[in-house]
Amino acid sequence: MNPSPLKSDEMILFRNTMRITEGHLHDFKRAIIEAVEFVEENGPQLMVQTFIDEQRMLAVSYQLYRDSEAVLEHWRLADPYIAKVMEHCVVAEFQIHGEPSAAVLERMRPMLDDGRATLTPRLAGFVRL
């Protein structure tokens, strides 16, 4: 039996590459850990993983969401934590994989317009959890 196909806004994956501000490595790492701990307890993400390249002062965060409503809920809950992280970095590149709703795209519009964010629709796939 094949599972039903995903709706257009299901299984949204974010890949956020952040350039860490010189002299902020320790504070950046602390802010990321606090944010991840918060969303692990309270957030709607199915998965969050953050990787850091201290030599190049880059970090990459992957976040998998069930759908657009989960993305919006995450932003509502975690905005203070996101703001703390952003005190120590800038977004170098933000990849949106999937087909988020108009509400999600509207929030991402500034980064989409200035080229920091890209949108790639899903072709095929599955998730095992």
Side-chain angles (χ1 to χ4, degrees):
M1 176 182 203
N2 289 333
S4 62
L6 295 174
K7 294 184 292 187
S8 64
D9 80 331
E10 288 184 310
M11 290 297 136
I12 297 165
L13 177 65
F14 288 165
R15 180 183 186 268
N16 181 9
T17 302
M18 297 160 278
R19 182 164 309 284
I20 304 162
T21 305
E22 194 67 40
H24 288 242
L25 180 60
H26 176 74
D27 292 333
F28 173 83
K29 288 166 70 173
R30 187 175 56 228
I32 286 286
I33 290 167
E34 288 174 6
V36 170
E37 288 174 349
F38 175 80
V39 297
E40 184 177 16
E41 290 293 318
N42 303 288
Q45 290 95 324
L46 299 173
M47 178 273 298
V48 174
Q49 292 292 324
T50 304
F51 304 88
I52 190 164
D53 180 341
E54 292 183 14
Q55 298 280 346
R56 294 174 45 217
M57 294 291 280
L58 290 174
V60 178
S61 172
Y62 293 88
Q63 297 186 31
L64 180 63
Y65 297 89
R66 187 172 312 283
D67 56 25
S68 293
E69 286 304 314
V71 174
L72 297 171
E73 178 67 4
H74 164 65
W75 287 337
R76 187 185 70 74
L77 290 172
D79 265 350
Y81 292 90
I82 295 167
K84 284 184 182 180
V85 169
M86 296 311 299
E87 290 175 10
H88 310 292
C89 68
V90 295
V91 174
E93 181 183 17
F94 199 100
Q95 297 175 355
I96 306 162
H97 299 282
E99 300 172 61
S101 69
V104 171
L105 291 176
E106 185 60 31
R107 172 100 181 242
M108 301 301 298
R109 182 64 45 209
M111 286 197 301
L112 287 163
D113 288 346
D114 71 19
R116 285 180 295 151
T118 58
L119 178 62
T120 308
R122 177 182 37 260
L123 175 61
F126 66 91
V127 175
R128 287 190 182 122
L129 296 176

